[in-house]
Amino acid sequence: FTTLLYTIKFEELMARSVKLPNPRMITGIVGREVVKDPYFSLNKLYQTTLDELKTLPESYPYRIETERLTKERLGLLDKAKTIMEFEESVNARCIENVIHEAKSELLLIRKLPGWAPWEPLVGEAPEGQWKWPI
């Protein structure tokens, strides 16, 4: 039964058409593999990011700015006719870098509730703590 279910899911995945295929054979970046269906990967990452941001306080500036940027990039991704066009619109060298950044952002968002950086400091900051430049 598990094998049958896996086969059905695999066939569904393979039947899905690639909206914006990746024209590259290599990324030119050591250790960074070419993503075959970058539209699907990035769209899924951006949707997940927007869902995860809902776990943060609405007034938290990081949430506000990250929601804005993610929605903007999601709109650019939907409007793009090619991956190269999307890369150009976000000033990226290659889509794999954008995907890597989106994954990193999502990992950070998932850690923030444990850190609660929006809460007040537990004590007074040392003299000159917020002075810049030093």
Side-chain angles (χ1 to χ4, degrees), residues 93-108:
R93 180 174 165 214
C94 72
I95 193 73
E96 287 77 11
N97 285 347
V98 179
I99 291 170
H100 179 76
E101 289 170 6
K103 285 179 182 178
S104 297
E105 198 74 53
L106 187 56
L107 289 173
L108 174 63

Side-chain angles (χ1 to χ4, degrees), residues 27-39:
T27 62
I29 302 168
V30 175
R32 183 113 346 132
E33 297 289 322
V34 172
V35 176
K36 300 288 187 242
D37 190 353
Y39 174 85

Side-chain angles (χ1 to χ4, degrees), residues 50-112:
L50 290 173
D51 289 342
E52 293 284 334
L53 282 168
K54 293 176 184 170
T55 64
L56 307 179
E58 287 183 24
S59 61
Y60 184 44
Y62 174 80
R63 174 184 171 167
I64 295 167
E65 184 57 25
T66 306
E67 277 180 342
R68 184 200 61 76
L69 179 65
T70 303
K71 287 176 182 177
E72 178 184 308
R73 287 195 168 191
L74 198 52
L76 292 171
L77 184 63
D78 286 336
K79 289 178 190 172
K81 292 179 178 40
T82 66
I83 287 301
M84 303 292 205
E85 184 181 317
F86 175 74
E87 289 172 340
E88 194 174 300
S89 69
V90 296
N91 197 24
R93 180 174 165 214
C94 72
I95 193 73
E96 287 77 11
N97 285 347
V98 179
I99 291 170
H100 179 76
E101 289 170 6
K103 285 179 182 178
S104 297
E105 198 74 53
L106 187 56
L107 289 173
L108 174 63
I109 291 165
R110 288 176 174 164
K111 290 178 181 180
L112 283 173

